[in-house]
Amino acid sequence: MRGQQNPPYGGFKVTAQQAHGQNTMARSDVRIVELPEVTVRIAGDSGDGMQLTGSQFTSVTALVGNDLSTLPDFPAEIRAPAGTTYGVSAFQIRFASSDILTPGDECDALVAMNPAALKTNIARLRKGGILIVNEDAFTERDLQLAGYTGNPLEDGSLSEYELYRVPITRLTQEALAELKLPFKVVERSKNMFALGLLLWLYDRPMDYTIRWLEQRFAKQPDILEANLRALRAGYHYGDTVEAFSTRYRVAPAKLPPGTYRNITGNQATALGLIAASQRAGLELFYGSYPITPASDVLHELAKYKHFRVFTFQAEDEIAAVTAVIGAAYGGKLAVTGTSGPGLALKTEAIGLGVMLELPLVILDIQRAGPSTGMPTKTEQADLLQAMFGRNGEAPVPIVAPATPGECFWMVLEACRIALKYMTPVFFLSDGYLANGSEPWRIPEPEELPDLRVRFATEPNANGRFLPYKRDPDTLARPWALPGTPGLMHRIGGLEKQHETGNVSYDPDNHDFMVRLRAEKIQRIAEDIPPAELEGDPEARLLVVGWGSTYGAIKTAVQRLRQKGYKVAQVHLRYLNPFPKNLGEILTRFERILVPEINLGQLVRLLRDRYLVPAEGYNRVRGLPFTAAELEARMQDILTEGNGHPEGN
C-alpha cells in the first residue's frame, strides 16, 4: 500500500442510498487493528473548516472514552488568499487508551485538503504514516500557489508514506448534486466528507456528529442535509473502497470515576470564574476588549447571564480594566482578560489596583510578541511583564495553569487569593492552553473552595473607619462597600497614610507602605501548596517548568526514566510568591534545566532569588515544545562524561 497511487474515485460512486445514510456496499473483509494511541492532523485552507472538523472529531473521541490532547494551529489572517501556504489552518489530535499529556510529536495520519496544506504539514507525518489527500485540489494553479514545481502525487516524493488519493471535492459534489445548492455551500461541505472518512478509519460512530449537526442547523434544513450527506458519503467511502482495507481502534482510557466533558483552556477559565463567583456569593463582572487568544473567555461568559454574570466589551483595554476596578470597588468579583499587547496598555491601571488594594483578577492569555507579534501562536513571554511591568514597587501574585483542564482550578485559586488578600492577581495562560483541549472531570460542588467574603459593616473601635487597617495575619485591608453607613472613606492613586488612607507625602510612611504591600504578597507563600518533586530525588538533573510546558516536560522525563536515567521534575503553578520549599529543592541538584517558550524569564527569576546555576532551554517558534526535543536535551546533559544512564 505504501506509495500507492490510488485511481480516481477508487472504483467508488456515491449512491442516493448512501447519501441518505444507507450503507448498501458494506464489506466484511476489513481488518481491525488495535492501537494504544493515534495522532491525527487535518490541514487545509483557513476557510475549509479544519478547526470545526478537528473539534468535532475531538468531541466524538472524548465521548467514546479516550484520553486526548489537541493542538489547533491556525493563521492570524481572517481569510488569507486561498491555496497559499500562509493561509493553511490545521488541527492535531492525539488520543489514547491511557493517560497522555501532549498532542503528539509526529502524526500517524495526515489529511491534506490542498497542496499548501501538504507542503506545510508533511514534515510532521512519520515515515510510513497514512497520508490522505484531496486530489481534486492538486491543480496546476494550486500547485504553483503552494510553491511546487511538480505534482508530488505523481513524482514519487511521497513514496515513504501510505498515500490515499481521494477526490473529496468531486465526491462531495456528487453526494449533494440533487439538492441544487449554491456552489459555496457545496464547497464548504467537503470538510464533513473528510470527517466522515476519519470517523470510519478510526472506528468512531457518526451518531454524535449527526445529532450535533441537527442541533446546529435546525433552522437551516438545506445546510443540515448537505452536511449530513457529505458526512455519510465520507464514512461510506471508507467502508466500500478496496484501497481502505484496515480500520484502527483505540480502546477507551481508564479514567478516574466521574462525569467528563471535553474542555478547552478558555472554556475551563470561564467556568472557573463562574464557580468562583458562586462560591464567593458575588456577582461576576468581566470587562474586556476583544483580543486573540483571550476573546473566547468573553464569548463563553456572555452565555451565563442567568448566573449573575455581567460581561462588558469595552472600547479599549484601558476602559476595560478601569471598569473592572470600579466593579471591585462596588463589591463584585471583578475580572479583566487580555493578551500581551493589551496587558501593556492596562499597566497603569493595574498599578492603581495595587495602590487601592482591591481584589482584581487579570487574565493574560499569552501569545507571540512583541507588539502585535503572531496573534494566533503561543508563547510564554509575559512572565517578566506580569512580575515587573508597572511603575514603582507594585508586586502582585501570579499563578499559571499547566493544562487546559487545570485552568478551571487555577483561576479559582486566583480569585481566592485576590479576595482573601485584597490584591490584583495575575493568571497566566497561553494560546496553547487556551485553544487546546482534554477530557475534564466535572467537579462536585463540595469539592470547590469556600470563597465567601466578609465586607466591613462597622466603624473601628474609636467610631472612625480606617480603610487601611490590616488583618494581622494576611495584611489585607477591609473591603467596604460604598454607601455603607458610617464607613465613608477615600481611596485613590496617591500614596496612603497607614490605616487612615489619607493622602501622605511623608517619606517614612511611603517606605513603610511600600514594604507593607510587598510583605502582604510574600505572606501568600504561607497559604499555597509546596512545590511537588516528581521523579528521582537523588538525580543529578532537575527540570523546572511552568505553564503549558508541563505535558512535554513530563512526557520527556517519563521516557528517560523508562530508559534507566535518573531525572526529576518540578512544575510551578505559583510564580509570585514561589512555594516556600522551592529553594530547598533546587539546592539538592547539580544541574537545573528550565525549558521555556521565551528567551529565559523564569530562569532569571530562579537565579536571582536562589542563586542556583539554572540553565535555560528556550525556543520561540510560536509552537509548544515537543517531548522529543526536550528528551534529547535532557539526555545530552545526563550523558555528559559517561554516555550511559548509570551514575547520573
Side-chain angles (χ1 to χ4, degrees):
M1 188 73 67
R2 188 168 300 171
Q4 176 177 335
Q5 306 293 310
N6 295 324
Y9 290 78
F12 176 82
K13 183 176 178 64
V14 179
T15 67
Q17 293 95 328
Q18 288 174 323
H20 284 87
Q22 302 171 28
N23 184 4
T24 61
M25 303 171 63
R27 291 162 30 228
S28 60
D29 61 338
V30 176
R31 183 169 61 109
I32 301 292
V33 175
E34 299 279 350
L35 295 174
E37 64 175 62
V38 169
T39 301
V40 176
R41 190 172 180 90
I42 312 162
D45 267 328
S46 56
D48 282 345
M50 296 296 95
Q51 301 304 316
L52 181 64
T53 304
S55 64
Q56 276 307 300
F57 189 81
T58 299
S59 296
V60 174
T61 297
L63 286 166
V64 299
N66 294 129
D67 194 17
L68 62 89
S69 179
T70 68
L71 176 63
D73 185 8
F74 43 89
E77 291 82 359
I78 294 175
R79 188 66 174 96
T84 59
T85 55
Y86 48 89
V88 171
S89 178
F91 190 102
Q92 184 165 312
I93 173 175
R94 180 184 178 207
F95 54 101
S97 57
S98 59
D99 181 44
I100 56 173
L101 299 165
T102 74
D105 294 350
E106 288 185 312
C107 301
D108 301 297
L110 170 65
V111 178
M113 299 295 283
N114 65 7
L118 177 66
K119 186 164 191 177
T120 54
N121 289 275
I122 190 62
R124 300 174 183 271
L125 182 62
R126 64 172 176 81
K127 303 305 181 187
I130 294 171
L131 174 59
I132 300 172
V133 297
N134 176 18
E135 68 173 356
D136 292 334
F138 282 71
T139 63
E140 183 176 350
R141 178 179 179 276
D142 281 339
L143 288 167
Q144 290 176 349
L145 284 171
Y148 281 110
T149 56
N151 190 339
L153 304 185
E154 308 289 351
D155 62 12
S157 59
L158 302 175
S159 61
E160 294 181 303
Y161 308 102
E162 193 171 324
L163 173 63
Y164 296 92
R165 297 171 55 173
V166 182
I168 294 176
T169 302
R170 284 178 282 169
L171 291 174
T172 303
Q173 291 170 349
E174 273 193 9
L176 277 57
E178 66 182 55
L179 298 179
K180 308 298 183 184
L181 294 171
F183 172 78
K184 285 187 177 180
V185 174
V186 176
E187 183 72 8
R188 288 172 183 167
S189 301
K190 65 180 185 287
N191 66 324
M192 286 294 110
F193 185 101
L195 176 59
L197 179 55
L198 285 174
L199 292 176
W200 178 87
L201 187 62
Y202 291 103
D203 199 26
R204 320 270 99 174
M206 281 193 293
D207 301 359
Y208 301 120
T209 303
I210 289 172
R211 288 199 294 271
W212 176 81
L213 288 170
E214 289 172 343
Q215 292 174 358
R216 175 163 182 160
F217 298 112
K219 297 181 180 180
Q220 298 172 283
D222 290 346
I223 305 299
L224 171 61
E225 184 64 20
N227 280 279
L228 289 175
R229 291 193 180 198
L231 178 74
R232 288 165 175 154
Y235 191 93
H236 294 307
Y237 179 84
D239 203 24
T240 55
V241 174
E242 293 182 2
F244 287 96
S245 59
T246 304
R247 299 178 79 181
Y248 302 93
R249 181 176 296 156
V250 178
K254 295 180 180 179
L255 300 173
T259 302
Y260 286 79
R261 59 161 289 180
N262 185 54
I263 201 166
T264 67
N266 276 348
Q267 289 171 335
T269 301
L271 293 179
L273 290 172
I274 296 168
S277 73
Q278 294 294 304
R279 297 297 286 174
L282 302 175
E283 295 178 340
L284 172 61
F285 182 88
Y286 186 80
S288 180
Y289 179 74
I291 185 170
T292 302
S295 297
D296 285 341
V297 179
L298 175 63
H299 302 159
E300 192 71 18
L301 286 173
K303 303 174 184 177
Y304 293 95
K305 295 180 176 65
H306 53 293
F307 282 111
R308 298 191 302 162
V309 174
F310 298 88
T311 53
F312 170 55
Q313 180 174 315
E315 66 268 28
D316 57 45
E317 296 283 4
I318 298 172
V321 67
T322 50
V324 166
I325 290 173
Y329 181 61
K332 304 293 190 290
L333 178 59
V335 186
T336 188
T338 189
S339 298
L343 182 60
L345 294 170
K346 294 179 187 289
T347 292
E348 182 182 0
I350 294 171
L352 174 62
V354 172
M355 180 66 82
L356 299 176
E357 298 189 58
L358 284 170
L360 315 172
V361 174
I362 304 112
L363 313 179
D364 179 11
I365 318 300
Q366 301 166 94
R367 73 188 204 190
S371 187
T372 310
M374 298 192 295
T376 61
K377 307 301 180 184
T378 196
E379 206 160 277
Q380 290 183 296
D382 294 348
L383 175 56
L384 294 182
Q385 181 179 202
M387 184 74 77
F388 302 117
R390 291 161 298 284
N391 65 299
E393 297 289 342
V396 294
I398 304 172
V399 302
T403 69
E406 204 172 271
C407 289
F408 176 89
W409 295 104
M410 291 312 297
V411 83
L412 259 173
E413 180 68 349
C415 293
R416 183 190 72 85
I417 293 172
L419 295 171
K420 184 173 181 177
Y421 292 87
M422 292 291 288
T423 179
V425 178
F426 272 100
F427 170 87
L428 292 186
S429 178
D430 60 41
Y432 173 37
L433 293 180
N435 297 312
S437 64
E438 65 177 354
W440 175 67
R441 188 181 67 82
I442 301 171
E444 298 297 329
E446 56 270 19
E447 297 178 61
L448 305 179
D450 185 350
L451 302 183
R452 285 174 293 183
V453 300
R454 294 182 180 179
F455 293 109
T457 57
E458 302 291 337
N460 298 97
N462 58 6
R464 298 173 58 199
F465 177 60
L466 300 175
Y468 284 86
K469 185 175 178 62
R470 300 174 184 276
D471 181 280
D473 296 322
T474 65
L475 297 183
R477 76 172 186 87
W479 195 2
L481 297 182
T484 303
L487 302 189
M488 183 182 297
H489 63 287
R490 175 175 56 191
I491 62 175
L494 294 172
E495 182 60 279
K496 304 293 179 292
Q497 185 183 52
H498 179 47
E499 293 193 345
T500 69
N502 295 331
V503 173
S504 173
Y505 295 101
D506 178 72
D508 291 332
N509 177 78
H510 177 57
D511 183 85
F512 175 79
M513 292 295 283
V514 166
R515 295 177 186 275
L516 196 61
R517 288 188 290 263
E519 172 63 20
K520 179 175 73 168
I521 303 306
Q522 287 306 310
R523 287 197 183 187
I524 297 171
E526 305 288 339
D527 195 23
I528 60 176
E532 182 179 349
L533 183 66
E534 300 180 65
D536 301 292
E538 305 303 321
R540 282 198 306 120
L541 174 64
L542 174 69
V543 186
V544 181
W546 68 278
S548 63
T549 58
Y550 174 73
I553 292 173
K554 186 164 185 177
T555 301
V557 168
Q558 288 175 340
R559 290 176 183 174
L560 286 170
R561 295 186 70 211
Q562 289 169 359
K563 294 178 180 179
Y565 292 93
K566 290 183 178 180
V567 58
Q569 172 189 3
V570 165
H571 206 80
L572 300 176
R573 276 85 171 174
Y574 299 87
L575 299 165
N576 193 37
F578 288 126
K580 284 182 62 178
N581 66 331
L582 181 59
E584 185 272 329
I585 290 176
L586 294 176
T587 55
R588 292 189 212 167
F589 294 87
E590 178 184 335
R591 300 286 292 273
I592 299 170
L593 182 69
V594 186
E596 298 181 80
I597 310 176
N598 57 46
L599 293 184
Q601 299 193 11
L602 175 61
V603 72
R604 296 182 187 183
L605 297 176
L606 296 179
R607 289 171 181 165
D608 176 67
R609 176 69 183 274
Y610 300 107
L611 303 179
V612 292
E615 55 192 278
Y617 183 79
N618 307 100
R619 295 288 186 272
V620 280
R621 299 168 296 180
L623 295 169
F625 283 119
T626 65
E629 63 185 318
L630 294 182
E631 180 185 358
R633 178 59 188 138
M634 295 176 202
Q635 187 166 337
D636 286 345
I637 294 174
L638 292 168
T639 55
E640 287 178 8
N642 58 29
H644 300 287
E646 294 78 18
N648 61 65

